[in-house]
Amino acid sequence: MKRVLQGNEQEDGGGTSAGSQETLKRPCKQRRENDLEEEGTRWECLPQEILLHIFQYLPLLDRAYASQVCRGWNQAFHMPELWRCFEFELNQPASSYLKATHPDLIKQIIKRHSNHLQYVSFKVDSSRESAEAACDILSQLVNCSLKTLGLISTARPSFMELPKSHFISALTVVFVNSKSLSSLKIDDTPVDDPSLKVLVANNSDTLKLLKMSSCPHVSPAGILCVADQCHGLRELALNYHLLSDELLIALSSEKHVHLEHLRIDVVSENPGQQFHTIKKSSWDAMVRHSPKFNLVMYFFLYEDEFGPFFRDEIPVTHLYFGRSVSKDVLGRVGLTCPRLVELVVCANGLRPLDEELIRIAQRCTQLSAIGLGECEVSCSAFVEFVKMCGDRLTQLSIMEEVLVPDHRYGLDDIHWEVSKHLGRVWFPDMMPTW
């Protein structure tokens, strides 16, 4: 027994035993923690402004996990600055593989952060249920003053499947309560003229951007009301049936700011549809008032429906043909579009576009981007086109099948000639890039 005790004493008192080392380590560790706490470098002691800066870089799910670390981080999670911008993703699991905002989170946002929301968008799938969920959320945003609102259908326009009254009622809640709405994107929705009047009555001084393509319940008079009252409007997107001489004159008035971007979708709903004509004098008024504005036009017409277009000069800057367009129409483009900057032709046919392309190079002196799909151009004409445009062609997207070898150039050596005139290496595309 004595021998055992002596052994234990020798072990305990023998200078650098394991037990004594642990005893020595504890005060050091405690001192380090105390020092860190005094210096304010412990994670739970980070200042709120630093936590806010860090949380702004985290995805929502990661912020939610971080909020469970401690009380301070949970408080940071609910800081108003983190909830000013939010995108509601509403998708049905049975019809979409996209992620969706959790219903519990939506309830929490409406309960605690609806008055903090300023920049809001809704991304919904093709289901009617998702569109209804978006309207239910909109109808509850009675305590917020939004600055931007976007309604985005990722597939077919699901908002169009809702009862018109239900959608208008929900949207009007936002229009009435948001007194400083500056950006509104409501493409493919059943918005109508009376709801636009509510928008103008409450947000005429602040509205700068309005995108409302494919809104069949809006009339030319409805969009004219917006242009007459919203003098700060800088960007506008709509279908051609809403475009009128009166609208262009209103956008060109002395009270109105310079327009920066006007997008027009020219879409044929039925073969043989008739389209009205816009006077050249109306376009001239727009150019005088806003000489630097971009006019973007998307054409989805059948070949026999282009009659009213490109007869007189038009200030289009970006021109896209989504369906087959005739050789004659492309010839008129070179004569009537002197401000053209970008041209995309998805299809034309089997007749070479040599003369039309050369004419565009001659007359459209600001052209800097072109894309050709199912068309035909001889290699010699294409080289001549690039030579005339030179290095101002910053984007040249030409399918390899477009180029037809001739007596001067073949497909194996055309890229050398084109690269020489562009001042950079160029090859034809294997697939469309626009």
Side-chain angles (χ1 to χ4, degrees):
M1 185 71 177
K2 183 176 181 181
R3 193 174 297 156
V4 173
L5 288 173
Q6 286 176 347
N8 289 341
E9 288 174 0
Q10 194 172 16
E11 288 178 4
D12 293 340
T16 58
S17 66
S20 61
Q21 287 179 2
E22 185 64 28
T23 304
L24 290 172
K25 286 180 181 178
R26 285 177 188 155
C28 293
K29 183 178 179 182
Q30 189 173 2
R31 277 200 305 274
R32 284 198 302 271
E33 290 181 351
N34 291 337
D35 291 342
L36 289 173
E37 188 172 358
E38 290 175 2
E39 294 171 6
T41 55
R42 294 182 64 178
W43 286 108
E44 61 266 32
C45 298
L46 281 176
Q48 290 283 300
E49 59 270 17
I50 295 179
L51 273 177
L52 173 63
H53 187 73
I54 294 173
F55 275 27
Q56 286 175 336
Y57 288 95
L58 295 178
L60 178 61
L61 187 60
D62 291 343
R63 292 209 309 261
Y65 287 144
S67 68
Q68 302 175 27
V69 170
C70 61
R71 183 177 299 174
W73 286 26
N74 185 266
Q75 293 174 350
F77 176 75
H78 292 288
M79 292 179 71
E81 293 83 353
L82 293 175
W83 298 98
R84 289 175 180 169
C85 180
F86 194 83
E87 181 179 75
F88 293 92
E89 296 181 272
L90 306 172
N91 304 296
Q92 302 301 312
S95 59
S96 175
Y97 62 89
L98 300 173
K99 63 179 181 180
T101 307
H102 197 280
D104 291 341
L105 177 60
I106 293 176
K107 293 178 181 178
Q108 187 179 64
I109 291 173
I110 293 177
K111 180 180 180 180
R112 299 190 59 172
H113 300 293
S114 62
N115 59 327
H116 302 147
L117 295 172
Q118 294 182 0
Y119 310 94
V120 173
S121 62
F122 292 82
K123 186 181 291 185
V124 303
D125 61 10
S126 60
S127 67
R128 176 172 174 168
E129 292 80 4
S130 296
E132 288 178 342
C135 288
D136 290 341
I137 296 172
L138 283 172
S139 63
Q140 298 180 66
L141 300 182
V142 295
N143 296 320
C144 68
S145 181
L146 299 185
K147 293 184 177 180
T148 68
L149 174 64
L151 304 181
I152 305 166
S153 296
T154 57
R156 66 188 183 197
S158 54
F159 288 104
M160 293 300 297
E161 298 183 4
L162 297 178
K164 178 184 169 185
S165 58
H166 180 44
F167 176 83
I168 295 300
S169 175
L171 194 63
T172 302
V173 170
V174 176
F175 289 170
V176 170
N177 291 281
S178 298
K179 304 298 183 181
S180 57
L181 197 62
S182 63
S183 174
L184 180 62
K185 300 177 182 179
I186 48 174
D187 297 323
D188 300 298
T189 63
V191 63
D192 60 4
D193 290 358
S195 57
L196 288 181
K197 289 183 179 179
V198 176
L199 167 69
V200 169
N202 292 276
N203 301 273
S204 61
D205 294 334
T206 58
L207 190 65
K208 297 179 180 179
L209 181 150
L210 177 60
K211 292 186 177 182
M212 45 177 300
S213 298
S214 301
C215 296
H217 300 295
V218 175
S219 70
I223 191 63
L224 181 60
C225 172
V226 176
D228 278 335
Q229 301 297 323
C230 300
H231 297 145
L233 196 64
R234 297 181 182 274
E235 296 186 41
L236 179 62
L238 66 163
N239 278 57
Y240 186 80
H241 79 276
L242 296 179
L243 186 67
S244 63
D245 294 298
E246 293 77 11
L247 176 63
L248 293 179
I249 297 302
L251 294 172
S252 306
S253 68
E254 294 182 358
K255 297 179 181 179
H256 207 286
V257 300
H258 293 303
L259 196 69
E260 296 176 358
H261 193 93
L262 176 61
R263 169 174 168 164
I264 308 295
D265 291 351
V266 190
V267 182
S268 174
E269 302 295 340
N270 302 297
Q273 182 175 338
Q274 299 296 316
F275 292 88
H276 63 283
T277 303
I278 300 297
K279 297 177 182 177
K280 182 179 181 298
S281 58
S282 302
W283 287 122
D284 291 342
M286 273 295 310
V287 174
R288 286 193 300 270
H289 180 268
S290 305
K292 296 183 179 180
F293 89 106
N294 289 320
L295 174 58
V296 183
M297 299 190 74
Y298 286 81
F299 282 86
F300 297 90
L301 303 182
Y302 297 97
E303 288 191 9
D304 58 348
E305 296 174 335
F306 279 95
F309 302 100
F310 307 110
R311 295 296 181 183
D312 296 315
E313 192 171 290
I314 181 173
V316 61
T317 55
H318 299 73
L319 185 56
Y320 305 92
F321 293 102
R323 290 177 182 164
S324 180
V325 58
S326 70
K327 183 180 173 74
D328 175 62
V329 170
L330 288 176
R332 300 196 321 244
V333 167
L335 297 173
T336 59
C337 305
R339 298 177 76 238
L340 193 62
V341 174
E342 182 178 9
L343 173 65
V344 173
V345 181
C346 292
N348 166 256
L350 300 178
R351 298 176 62 190
L353 299 177
D354 295 4
E355 295 178 2
E356 290 73 21
L357 210 57
I358 297 300
R359 183 180 298 156
I360 288 172
Q362 291 173 338
R363 303 291 294 269
C364 305
T365 57
Q366 301 180 53
L367 187 71
S368 62
I370 186 169
L372 299 178
E374 298 178 13
C375 309
E376 284 194 0
V377 179
S378 71
C379 289
S380 295
F382 181 64
V383 170
E384 183 63 22
F385 167 81
V386 175
K387 184 179 179 180
M388 295 173 68
C389 294
D391 57 4
R392 65 182 167 92
L393 280 177
T394 57
Q395 185 173 346
L396 185 60
S397 180
I398 310 297
M399 294 285 291
E400 188 176 45
E401 292 80 4
V402 169
L403 302 172
V404 180
D406 55 23
H407 66 284
R408 294 187 62 187
Y409 302 104
L411 294 178
D412 294 334
D413 53 3
I414 189 175
H415 73 275
W416 291 109
E417 280 295 318
V418 173
S419 298
K420 180 176 68 175
H421 296 299
L422 286 178
R424 64 182 187 275
V425 177
W426 178 86
F427 287 93
D429 297 326
M430 296 291 103
M431 61 181 63
T433 58
W434 55 83

